[in-house]
Amino acid sequence: MRITVTVNGQQRQADHVWAGESLLYLLRERLGLPGAKNACEQGECGSCTVYLDGEPVCACLVAAGQVQGRSVTTVEGLAAQRVQQAFLEAGAVQCGFCTPGLIIAVHDLLARTPRPGDAEVREALAGNLCRCTGYEKILDAVRLAASR
Amino acid sequence: MKQLLQTRVTGGVGDSAARPDGALKVRGEFAFASDLWADRMLWGATLRSPHPHARILGIDITEALRVPGVHAVLTHEDVPGSKRYGLEIADQPVLAIDEVRYAGEPVAIVAADHPETARRAAARIAVSYQVLPPVTEAEDGQVLRHVPIRRGDPDATAELVVTGEYEVGMQDQAFLGPEAGLAVPAADGGVDLYLATQWLHADQRQVAACLGLPPALVRLTLAGVGGAFGAREDISMQVHACMLALRTGRPVKMVYGREESFLGHVHRHPAKLRYEHGATRDGRLVYVKARIMLDGGAYASSSAAVVANAATLGIGPYDVPNVVMDAYVAYTNNPPCGAMRGFGAVQACFAYESQMDKLAAAAGLDPVEVRIRNALREGARMPTGQVVDGPAPVAELLRRVQAAPPAPPRSDDPRLLPGGVGNTTHGEGVVRGVGYAIGIKNVCFSEGFDDYATARVRLELISGEPVAFVHTAAAEVGQGLVTVQAQVARTELGVERVVVATADTSVGSAGSSSASRQTYMTGGAVRAACAAVRQRLFARLARDPAGLWLAGGKVVSVDGVVADLAEVLGDDPIEETVEWRHRPTSPLDPHTGQGDAHVQYAFAAHRATVDVDVELGLVRVVEIATAQDVGKAVNPQAVVGQIHGGTAQGLGLAVMEEIQVVDGMVRNPSFTDYLIPTILDVPPMHVEVLELADPHAPYGLRGVGEPPAISSTPAVVAAIRAATGRPLTRVPVRPEHLIG
Ligand code: FES
Ligand code: FES
């Protein structure tokens, strides 16, 4: 099938998309946007988080066909760099495989709750696994981003 | 320390320099191995054995080849060179030959134009198996290695005796970036492989042998690595992708899904451990007798080295005059086990620290006090007879975690109680406990292994500014090694601008990014290469080079600036390549286990505070304090990050992480069923970093990565015991261990 979708503000089109493909595959393998990651492809890790019509979703759980005519924003397309900068300064990036999904999740959290408490941050990021950092510096990064 | 380094360059050794790959990573533009793409690229898929043990009677690929879009289907018959590989013993078939020895063992591979096509074609390969009974208990398996250690009097007796049997489940590294790589056939008949790994040259050696090619025709380049923790030390998709690329003449990408990843790499050895500690009435250790049995699974991997660690580090950081230790690793038909952060030291630490708590109770002592009374000190001997000839601040680390600010009192917020956002309790049935543990780890490779790292450093003027180029084959796996290499070059050459080249096999081996060794080894190699560059640079000056140094883009001496670096360099760059070794180690005596087997010892201590809901069997770790001696914090921010991450992995082993293997079958190969700690599970962590220089190591540093992953497990379990009074002899602790 053919899919037409707005990605990061640009109209994009993909042909010969197989019905079983996910939005994650569409982005990574057909549209050249590998920023969203593929740590589990089972909806368990959050590494593939993108915005779909402004709502954060696990791209691995969305069928490519479902995004026809809709709008997707990936980590590559985020204009503001406040969260990204805070992750760098706080040392919240090690291997970085969790980072794109976390950036979207934190971006979304701060848009909804500009000054979240630690318990709110933990609740909001509970779906994003990180194996390297033990999350301490991710919390630091969120606090830092929220303070700016 | 800083003034001794005589540098005013920012971002040098001791600074929390920024990661050079950080900006790309936060923008989603860093190319991980699974992100790679090439024109005309095909996708590889692997057919794996559904049986833990079976004879292969036949493999029929006809139906798979008929699937439209399939370009190749290969079996063991197509392996061009050596049919088996292995890190230490080449016992693992590239593709199963006439027998499969674990469930998940690769049997055949497919290349197709879509990953789903490749998977479907693989499912159409007809393999006829004669199922055989699996060996599922290490006690029933063939012993791969036995490491005995005998020190002092084997018949020593003592007033206080405590015994215990302990068990450690199979933990997974569970890195987030799956196994992945892209193999590109080259015009010269060779292949270029871009991949995520921990040791490019070990892969190159094994892949070239299996392809029947000279190593020079098998060129490996490191792609972005999404964590490693030991799981990338063995071959996974490397040979398969290259075989498919060479056969089809097209680039082939292989990316494991999460389920396949759980089957496709080695795990932490499950262990059964029996300990007897004898002590005087006032809690001083007289003897330790221990027997450790590790389940090695179906193939050797690095089991022989893991069991040596379990044996040599197996009584912990304590001074014990009489030791009888027997550590074994045996083959079974369970999944192969090998390297994981802590490497044999983790399993033993759970047992010996549990024993120390028992001893404390028997002697009527505080758990910290009994440890301090027996603490290893600089100058003491390990059970191997090796003298600990660097700082060993065991007692100090324990005192530090004991004195750390206490955890906050129990909260009324249900989100901060066991069960958390699940809102399972308002505090009824919740009890609190505090536990302590300390661990010991060796750094670098041991037992006489020729352990070296290679670094190439070039100093050159770019647009009039001196720039250092650093090239090694050392694998950045997330730990921050690229940052460290640049920091060393800045400090040693006194230049701001350093470019660290992508790691590949066009430069000599750096050894593995494992054993907490890379800052020591590749850091040491970069430092040595910089020194060689400096020597040649100073030789260009018409004066005695003694007392000269590089700082801030100048050649300086105690009297001030001697020359401008840019002028001395001119348009004549200086490049040096150095192979650097740590001090030699020796093998263990095969009967007594005596020998100076280790390069360096590292220590970390933990205090854990937990709340336990004894009605539901739920645990919440409330706070963890860690103290670790790192010799020299080359990058303090990264050091603390390693301590956080390692501590969290140890917490995972304490309360949730286990690969469930039933009759040789992995029952939970997904993040739905294999739980790793989330941000709700990991508590705030208080970290204290000691910097007691090791006189033998570059900058006095001590490997950092593994020690924090060792003692957090027993500390958490000790805290749960303190809260519940339960014996808890097995990790991970499950709810059913806490109720009823
Ligand atoms: S890759 Fe989508 S949630 Fe893990
Ligand atoms: S930084 Fe590696 S998984 Fe989070």
Side-chain angles (χ1 to χ4, degrees):
Chain A
M1 68 184 148
R2 166 177 290 187
I3 305 270
T4 310
V5 55
T6 304
V7 181
N8 298 334
Q10 286 184 341
Q11 177 111 347
R12 302 288 302 270
Q13 182 177 305
D15 286 314
H16 311 297
V17 174
W18 172 65
E21 283 175 22
S22 65
L23 169 59
L24 184 62
Y25 188 87
L26 180 76
L27 291 168
R28 291 175 52 80
E29 305 297 341
R30 295 196 182 272
L31 300 178
L33 289 168
K37 288 288 165 282
N38 57 321
C40 76
E41 299 177 85
Q42 294 173 317
E44 291 289 350
C45 75
S47 74
C48 61
T49 308
V50 300
Y51 280 114
L52 176 59
D53 290 339
E55 289 291 323
V57 296
C58 289
C60 69
L61 293 183
V62 176
Q66 286 176 279
V67 303
Q68 171 61 38
R70 299 171 74 179
S71 169
V72 173
T73 304
T74 71
V75 68
E76 292 103 325
L78 279 188
Q81 296 291 311
R82 173 176 65 143
V83 176
Q84 292 89 325
Q85 192 57 35
F87 266 64
L88 288 179
E89 288 174 32
V93 179
Q94 289 189 28
C95 84
F97 211 81
C98 65
T99 307
L102 274 161
I103 298 280
I104 299 271
V106 172
H107 187 265
D108 176 62
L109 168 67
L110 295 182
R112 288 183 287 112
T113 313
R115 294 271 172 163
D118 281 2
E120 284 170 290
V121 176
R122 288 184 191 270
E123 203 167 334
L125 303 184
N128 290 81
L129 297 177
C130 172
R131 190 54 158 168
C132 301
T133 64
Y135 305 104
E136 278 287 82
K137 289 184 181 296
I138 291 170
L139 279 158
D140 288 346
V142 179
R143 293 183 198 115
L144 184 62
S147 74
R148 288 178 169 166
Chain B
M1 280 305 285
K2 267 200 186 110
Q3 54 277 30
L4 283 182
L5 296 172
Q6 300 181 33
T7 174
R8 283 156 300 170
V9 174
T10 54
V13 169
D15 285 353
S16 289
R19 299 186 66 100
D21 55 6
L24 286 175
K25 283 179 173 176
V26 295
R27 290 202 303 262
E29 289 166 6
F30 182 77
F32 289 94
S34 54
D35 299 340
L36 303 177
W37 189 90
D39 216 20
R40 297 181 69 240
M41 179 180 94
L42 299 172
W43 290 80
T46 313
L47 177 72
R48 293 172 184 274
S49 166
H51 306 295
H53 193 198
R55 189 158 297 132
I56 296 180
L57 304 175
I59 305 175
D60 184 354
I61 63 170
T62 324
E63 288 303 310
L65 278 171
R66 285 209 182 111
V67 176
V70 167
H71 290 253
V73 180
L74 307 180
T75 69
H76 68 91
E77 292 180 358
D78 303 296
V79 178
S82 164
K83 304 271 184 195
R84 293 172 194 269
Y85 63 84
L87 275 173
E88 293 169 0
I89 304 169
D91 65 348
Q92 189 155 2
V94 175
L95 292 165
I97 301 166
D98 47 11
E99 187 190 20
V100 285
R101 295 180 54 186
Y102 72 98
E105 178 160 357
V107 176
I109 47 176
V110 177
D113 55 12
H114 190 286
E116 190 55 31
T117 307
R119 280 191 286 269
R120 288 180 179 195
R124 296 181 132 202
I125 299 169
V127 185
S128 137
Y129 292 104
Q130 180 195 349
V131 175
L132 300 170
V135 176
T136 57
E137 290 294 328
E139 290 291 348
D140 302 332
Q142 179 202 340
V143 171
L144 163 59
R145 188 178 181 195
H146 166 212
V147 180
I149 295 180
R150 301 288 181 266
R151 177 170 189 223
D153 176 7
D155 301 316
T157 56
E159 294 160 309
L160 289 182
V161 176
V162 292
T163 60
E165 294 195 16
Y166 304 93
E167 195 174 337
V168 177
M170 184 186 284
Q171 191 181 18
D172 192 76
Q173 300 85 349
F175 50 50
L176 285 204
E179 289 85 350
L182 175 69
V184 183
D188 60 5
V191 61
D192 292 281
L193 178 61
Y194 303 83
L195 81 167
T197 182
Q198 289 177 230
W199 188 354
L200 287 165
H201 284 80
D203 285 6
Q204 182 192 40
R205 168 176 61 78
Q206 296 171 83
V207 173
C210 294
L211 296 177
L213 289 172
L217 288 184
V218 180
R219 293 160 293 254
L220 273 63
T221 302
L222 192 71
V225 184
F229 317 115
R232 298 189 207 271
E233 210 161 52
D234 294 78
I235 295 286
S236 58
M237 45 56 65
Q238 287 87 331
V239 185
H240 299 160
C242 291
M243 281 172 61
L244 291 169
L246 290 170
R247 176 62 70 98
T248 60
R250 287 169 64 161
V252 172
K253 171 166 162 172
M254 291 187 93
V255 181
Y256 288 180
R258 182 52 52 181
E259 178 172 346
E260 186 167 27
S261 176
F262 273 105
L263 302 174
H265 62 245
V266 299
H267 313 292
R268 187 188 302 292
H269 292 74
K272 292 197 171 140
L273 314 97
R274 196 168 69 215
Y275 274 71
E276 178 180 320
H277 282 58
T280 60
R281 215 163 279 290
D282 62 352
R284 284 176 211 284
L285 284 168
V286 176
Y287 69 86
V288 175
K289 294 179 185 168
R291 182 180 188 275
I292 298 174
M293 175 58 83
L294 304 178
D295 180 348
Y299 295 104
S301 180
S302 49
S303 279
V306 172
V307 73
N309 267 13
T312 57
L313 308 170
I315 67 157
Y318 301 113
D319 194 352
V320 185
N322 306 296
V323 176
V324 178
M325 160 70 74
D326 289 285
Y328 302 84
V329 62
Y331 285 113
T332 64
N333 295 110
N334 291 325
C337 289
M340 179 176 175
R341 195 175 197 172
F343 203 82
V346 166
Q347 296 92 329
C349 185
F350 171 61
Y352 64 69
E353 285 300 84
S354 299
Q355 284 286 101
M356 292 306 280
D357 284 340
K358 271 195 182 180
L359 178 60
L365 289 172
D366 175 82
V368 172
E369 177 56 30
V370 82
R371 288 172 168 85
I372 288 176
R373 279 191 193 177
N374 293 289
L376 200 67
R377 286 173 183 77
E378 182 167 358
R381 279 182 192 276
M382 295 291 288
T384 55
Q386 182 167 18
V387 174
V388 179
D389 60 356
V394 174
E396 172 69 9
L397 294 169
L398 287 161
R399 285 193 194 99
R400 292 265 185 146
V401 289
Q402 190 172 37
R410 205 181 82 196
S411 167
D412 290 333
D413 184 342
R415 290 178 297 183
L416 301 179
L417 289 169
V421 290
N423 215 350
T424 52
T425 180
H426 291 278
E428 63 280 5
V430 174
V431 288
R432 175 163 285 195
V434 177
Y436 293 89
I438 185 159
I440 179 170
K441 181 68 186 49
N442 59 322
V443 173
C444 299
F445 289 157
S446 302
E447 293 188 82
F449 188 89
D450 181 24
D451 190 11
Y452 68 93
T454 315
R456 182 178 295 155
V457 172
R458 190 169 79 250
L459 192 55
E460 182 176 356
L461 281 193
I462 304 286
S463 313
E465 195 189 337
V467 180
F469 293 85
V470 178
H471 189 185
T472 75
E476 165 64 53
V477 297
Q479 79 281 47
L481 186 60
V482 280
T483 325
V484 162
Q485 293 182 58
Q487 289 179 258
V488 170
R490 285 193 198 104
T491 289
E492 296 298 325
L493 298 176
V495 298
E496 296 275 353
R497 284 183 58 198
V498 180
V499 178
V500 180
T502 300
D504 62 27
T505 50
S506 72
V507 61
S509 176
S512 182
S513 291
S514 64
S516 305
R517 65 182 280 289
Q518 280 296 25
T519 299
Y520 193 125
M521 294 304 298
T522 290
V526 171
R527 184 193 200 199
C530 288
V533 166
R534 240 181 6 237
Q535 196 180 0
R536 275 184 49 200
L537 187 87
F538 293 161
R540 291 181 182 178
L541 299 167
R543 59 165 282 173
D544 177 7
L548 294 183
W549 191 253
L550 290 172
K554 315 266 187 233
V555 182
V556 296
S557 73
V558 281
D559 307 322
V561 174
V562 172
D564 201 58
L565 174 58
E567 276 168 28
V568 187
L569 261 182
D571 49 13
D572 193 4
I574 300 177
E575 180 176 293
E576 284 289 336
T577 304
V578 169
E579 216 171 72
W580 190 80
R581 284 170 169 76
H582 58 66
R583 57 183 173 151
T585 59
S586 35
L588 294 168
D589 179 279
H591 304 292
T592 65
Q594 299 298 295
D596 293 346
H598 294 313
V599 180
Q600 184 186 56
Y601 294 101
F603 309 91
H606 286 93
R607 180 196 69 196
T609 306
V610 303
D611 283 339
V612 184
D613 181 336
V614 292
E615 288 164 9
L616 294 175
L618 298 177
V619 175
R620 182 167 179 276
V621 182
V622 178
E623 201 261 356
I624 296 190
T626 310
Q628 183 170 336
D629 173 26
V630 304
K632 166 74 188 171
V634 172
N635 184 315
Q637 189 182 59
V639 162
V640 171
Q642 285 296 305
I643 294 173
H644 287 153
T647 301
Q649 289 182 358
L651 181 159
L653 177 60
V655 293
M656 62 182 77
E657 291 187 36
E658 182 174 9
I659 296 191
Q660 314 265 351
V661 184
V662 180
D663 299 330
M665 305 294 294
V666 174
R667 293 300 183 191
N668 57 341
S670 74
F671 281 155
T672 315
D673 298 313
Y674 183 93
L675 302 180
I676 64 172
T678 71
I679 197 168
L680 293 172
D681 302 307
V682 182
M685 291 183 261
H686 173 88
V687 174
E688 302 213 3
V689 173
L690 268 66
E691 295 185 85
L692 306 179
D694 178 344
H696 308 285
Y699 308 112
L701 72 84
R702 211 174 279 284
V704 169
E706 294 174 289
I710 294 170
S711 49
S712 56
T713 306
V716 168
V717 176
I720 304 173
R721 281 192 202 108
T724 64
R726 303 241 168 197
L728 304 180
T729 56
R730 186 184 196 284
V731 284
V733 174
R734 299 206 193 105
E736 60 264 32
H737 299 149
L738 298 173
I739 51 172

